[in-house]
Amino acid sequence: MNRDRHYMQMALELAAKARGRTSPNPMVGAVIVKDGRVVGRGFHARAGSAHAEVVALAEAGEQARGATVYVTLEPCCHHGRTGPCTEALLKAGVQRVVAAMTDPNPLVAGKGLAVLQKAGVEVACGLLAEEARRLNEVFIKYITTGRPFVVMKAATSLDGKIATATGESKWITNTAARAYGHRLRDMYDAILVGVNTVLTDDPSLTARLPEGRGKDPIRVILDSNARTPTATKILTQLSAAHTIIATTEQAPVERRASLLAAGAEVLVVPGEGPRVDLVRLMEMLAEKEITSVLIEGGGQVNGAALAAGIVDKIVWFLAPKIIGGDRAPGPVRGQGILSLQDAVKLFDVSVERLDEDILITGYTAERGSNPFLPV
């Protein structure tokens, strides 16, 4: 059993190499072992590329016959962008398959393991399942609910301010925290801010990692009245990612047209209120195979996202600084709550140091409703 855990941990580490690169697919790693020796390794590098099992089988060659395959997710048994992994495993003649978890995709959901078992392959499932579910929390949320996994990022002073009374916010957090923030942008499909952030800061919203390794997220701007300037960086800079302006029917047609001409995708979100309906927006983004969204908004956007119940995870940077002042803005605005029992509660909270800054990470209570996600 300890040996099984060792090889499954190896498979999980392989899968994580593709973090932020496999959307809308899950991250998957596979390790093939024969006679106590690893003969094949593989991971799914990106959507459309060979699956982890196929990569590992190619490395193992004939040594795969009679071997054990450790895989972080149940092998698929349907035709998608690539063929079924179950067929490849059976053709290779493997003796045993150990999966960390079943695939939450309704097209699979236990069927892959059943196919293997029916063909005489020894099957086991559930080893390091919680670690596997945590690894693929984005995919699980997306495939089981039809909405993206949403992370709200906030950075505040010790007294809960995101800027001074004059609006100065650069930089509340330190260099290590800001570098971590860029790694988050690299991990998730899209980054969401409000139009006021664009008007005030003219941000790039790109992932700036060492040696230019960052993958820019798709930029989503909440802009009910299409006020985004066409000369702003999010529309004029060189980037592989595009910009979506999420607006409403009340936005003037000529402004929508000018944004389209400037290269933006204009998404008119149905809804009765004067602001963009965030729940409907999430559904529309998921229809575009955007599986994850990082919110880097101000207090108004954060408050609206929490009120709409779309936030799955919170990443909060706390700098050991005190700003003070009644007019200095906080990270969550809006109506707020009247009773503490209605507060947004976090679970599975972790705390770590980033030099002198503190990083607090936690999950919202709604997350526990999904049986595939750890609670």
Side-chain angles (χ1 to χ4, degrees), residues 10-216:
M10 189 183 297
L12 287 166
E13 290 169 3
L14 282 169
K17 288 178 178 289
R19 192 180 298 277
R21 301 297 185 271
T22 62
S23 180
N25 291 350
M27 291 176 277
V28 183
V31 173
I32 301 177
V33 178
K34 187 170 186 180
D35 299 327
R37 187 170 63 89
V38 175
V39 296
R41 300 176 181 84
F43 65 93
H44 182 50
R46 65 187 61 84
S49 69
H51 286 191
E53 301 94 317
V54 173
V55 175
L57 287 169
E59 182 179 302
E62 283 301 315
Q63 295 179 92
R65 190 162 301 278
T68 295
V69 180
Y70 298 87
V71 62
T72 58
L73 188 69
E74 174 187 8
C76 65
C77 56
H78 67 289
H79 287 272
R81 289 181 170 97
T82 61
C85 289
T86 50
E87 288 185 7
L89 290 166
L90 293 174
K91 184 177 181 181
V94 304
Q95 180 179 2
R96 180 175 177 238
V97 172
V98 181
M101 62 175 288
T102 55
D103 190 338
N105 186 339
L107 293 174
V108 187
K111 300 183 185 74
L113 294 175
V115 166
L116 294 172
Q117 196 167 34
K118 186 176 180 180
V121 176
E122 182 184 344
V123 169
C125 185
L127 180 63
L128 298 184
E130 183 170 342
E131 290 84 346
R133 289 193 291 264
R134 184 71 76 212
L135 176 75
N136 274 313
E137 59 191 11
V138 166
F139 173 75
I140 293 168
K141 168 74 184 298
Y142 167 73
I143 204 69
T144 60
T145 69
R147 294 184 190 174
F149 186 84
V150 179
V151 179
M152 190 188 93
K153 175 196 162 213
T156 69
S157 62
L158 198 59
D159 57 336
K161 308 294 185 181
I162 61 173
T164 67
T166 62
E168 182 184 353
S169 60
K170 295 182 179 179
W171 297 103
I172 287 178
T173 54
N174 63 22
T175 302
R178 296 197 297 275
Y180 193 103
H182 281 283
R183 292 199 297 274
L184 289 175
R185 291 180 179 185
D186 177 69
M187 285 170 50
Y188 297 113
D189 289 352
I191 182 170
L192 182 147
V193 302
V195 67
N196 287 333
T197 294
V198 176
L199 295 173
T200 302
D201 299 334
D202 191 18
S204 298
L205 303 180
T206 53
R208 298 185 288 281
L209 298 184
E211 302 174 2
R213 291 183 289 105
K215 172 187 66 66
D216 291 345

Side-chain angles (χ1 to χ4, degrees), residues 64 84 87 103-104 188 211 224 241-242 279 310 314 318 337 341:
E87 288 185 7
D103 190 338
Y188 297 113
E211 302 174 2
S224 301
H242 67 290
V279 173
I310 65 169
I314 291 178
L318 193 60
I337 61 167
Q341 69 179 8

